[in-house]
Amino acid sequence: MNKLLTNQVKKHFGLTIRSSKNLSRISTVHVSKIITDQGIYLLKGKEEQESRMRYIRAAKQHLHEKKILIPREYLTVNGQPYFTFENKRYILQEWIKGKSPTVSSLENILKLGKLIGRFHHRSLGFSPPADCRAMGALDWENEYQADKRRIDQWYKKHLRSDSPKIKWIIRYCKRFSSRAEWAYQKLLANSCYNEWKSYPDEQHYLCHGDYHPRNTMFQKNTPYLIDWEDIRHDFVSKDISRMHFMIMRKHKTFCPSRFESFLQAYQQQNPLQSHELGLLYIDLSFPHMFERFLRKSLYKKMNTNEVASFVEN
């Protein structure tokens, strides 16, 4: 952390910094652990709209009231929730000391299923200020079409590639594109989908938006959820799918019984009705993971065997 930013932290929060450690590899986001005379904190800075930050703060306040354990945020000495420096808005958070679970054991998979189920169940009832809404439910149809289009465009662009691993992906692109179209048509035909979209905000779930093991911390047996920058109103499938993807990558295969165990643990905390399960399976059947695999160019960090295993799974 440079001297100018250090002085800003001292000015706005009244802290005397002994040392700091940068935790982010992304240039547009600042995340650092800071050790001060007053304690250990997490400093986060990002170019974010003020309305978006108000939504996140309001959602966090709701979750605090519902007894979901998340890091506390501290006000500046002037009572403001953040300060602005070099186009980034900086917040100061409680430092959570603990360990992130791995998904190598079934015990941890069940813990993670229960944790996100409890969060979703308790998230209901949140209605944000009218001018800072974040509603993912209204974007599903456009999202499905855009994702299918990206798969098709990637296929056309790489069709004549001589790379062995690219050829593996090409082999499966049409299958995934067909599955994307199938899921899109199922979504449009689902009678509960349009009804769900019309729900008022307080009847929609909050979704974490980036639910994976590293965004959970356990202080002994006490679970915390961290990193709330992607929180929004949406459906539970968005968080379930993200964790399912991480479990599959860790074990290098899809295991139906492992997924069913995760879902059963989830439903102990947030029982889903039959129409909700229908919507869940439609969204899980859409190849979101494959589209992300292409869009993020994750295959570039894999060898041919790893790519083949991924697309087959």
Side-chain angles (χ1 to χ4, degrees):
M1 195 162 70
N2 64 46
K3 187 175 181 180
L4 291 175
L5 181 55
T6 298
N7 290 336
Q8 289 293 315
V9 174
K10 181 178 180 179
K11 171 185 173 182
H12 289 284
F13 292 106
L15 300 175
T16 303
I17 298 175
R18 297 180 188 173
S19 63
S20 66
K21 181 180 180 181
N22 182 33
L23 303 178
S24 176
R25 297 178 181 177
I26 305 173
S27 60
T28 56
V29 178
H30 178 95
V31 182
S32 61
K33 175 184 180 181
I34 59 174
I35 299 175
T36 76
D37 288 346
Q38 294 82 2
I40 304 175
Y41 302 92
L42 189 71
L43 182 72
K44 287 189 168 186
K46 187 179 181 182
E47 293 183 13
E48 194 73 88
Q49 293 183 350
E50 201 280 334
S51 61
R52 174 62 183 161
M53 296 193 74
R54 284 194 289 114
Y55 180 93
I56 296 172
R57 288 200 306 275
K60 284 182 175 181
Q61 180 59 38
H62 173 79
L63 296 175
H64 277 299
E65 293 170 358
K66 294 290 187 174
K67 309 300 182 184
I68 296 294
L69 294 178
I70 61 180
R72 290 175 293 172
E73 290 186 10
Y74 300 96
L75 298 177
T76 68
V77 292
N78 293 326
Q80 299 301 312
Y82 62 83
F83 71 87
T84 303
F85 176 67
E86 293 184 345
N87 298 320
K88 289 187 177 71
R89 290 186 166 96
Y90 286 85
I91 61 173
L92 188 71
Q93 290 185 348
E94 172 186 14
W95 175 261
I96 303 299
K97 184 179 180 181
K99 291 185 177 180
S100 295
T102 68
V103 290
S104 56
S105 71
L106 182 59
E107 179 184 3
N108 283 347
I109 290 172
L110 298 181
K111 283 182 180 179
L112 291 165
K114 291 178 181 179
L115 178 58
I116 197 63
R118 184 162 60 251
F119 157 63
H120 285 157
H121 183 71
R122 295 184 185 182
S123 75
L124 291 170
F126 171 62
S127 184
D131 60 343
C132 60
R133 209 166 176 243
M135 177 53 69
L138 304 179
D139 294 330
W140 276 35
E141 292 168 45
N142 291 333
E143 176 192 332
Y144 277 33
Q145 290 178 312
D147 284 0
K148 181 183 182 301
R149 189 161 52 248
R150 277 190 288 268
I151 292 172
D152 293 340
Q153 290 171 346
W154 191 96
Y155 172 80
K156 290 178 181 178
K157 181 179 178 180
H158 296 84
L159 183 58
R160 301 187 183 282
S161 173
D162 293 327
S163 166
K165 63 182 179 181
I166 296 297
K167 286 183 177 180
W168 263 107
I169 301 171
I170 289 292
R171 186 180 301 181
Y172 285 83
C173 272
K174 285 190 175 181
R175 182 183 299 183
F176 282 117
S177 179
S178 176
R179 174 56 59 167
E181 180 63 25
W182 179 90
Y184 176 67
Q185 295 302 328
K186 285 289 185 181
L187 184 71
L188 296 182
N190 186 277
S191 60
C192 297
Y193 171 63
N194 286 321
E195 181 182 353
W196 167 69
K197 284 197 299 181
S198 68
Y199 288 171
D201 286 353
E202 60 269 20
Q203 292 182 26
H204 280 276
Y205 295 103
L206 281 172
C207 284
H208 182 278
D210 194 20
Y211 186 60
H212 58 77
R214 292 189 303 278
N215 279 339
T216 65
M217 297 289 288
F218 281 76
Q219 285 186 342
K220 296 183 180 179
N221 290 320
T222 303
Y224 282 80
L225 278 168
I226 63 173
D227 286 355
W228 291 94
E229 285 73 22
D230 295 322
I231 190 171
R232 64 185 184 276
H233 278 109
D234 213 322
F235 192 59
V236 302
S237 55
K238 299 307 179 186
D239 288 335
I240 290 174
S241 177
R242 183 82 167 97
M243 183 59 74
H244 171 47
F245 173 68
M246 300 302 291
I247 293 171
M248 192 187 77
R249 286 197 69 183
K250 177 66 177 179
H251 291 269
K252 303 185 187 308
T253 186
F254 169 66
C255 176
S257 63
R258 191 180 293 120
F259 174 72
E260 288 297 329
S261 296
F262 174 85
L263 191 57
Q264 287 171 10
Y266 174 92
Q267 292 206 87
Q268 290 175 17
Q269 302 296 321
N270 187 42
L272 298 175
Q273 299 179 40
S274 59
H275 68 275
E276 291 180 304
L277 283 171
L279 191 56
L280 169 71
Y281 284 121
I282 288 173
D283 198 35
L284 289 180
S285 72
F286 190 94
H288 297 292
M289 290 187 289
F290 183 71
E291 184 278 329
R292 184 176 183 273
F293 172 73
L294 300 183
R295 174 167 42 86
K296 296 280 189 178
S297 299
L298 300 181
Y299 53 87
K300 290 183 178 180
K301 297 180 180 180
M302 299 179 178
N303 60 39
T304 301
N305 289 336
E306 290 169 336
V307 165
S309 177
F310 179 89
V311 294
E312 286 178 341
N313 286 331

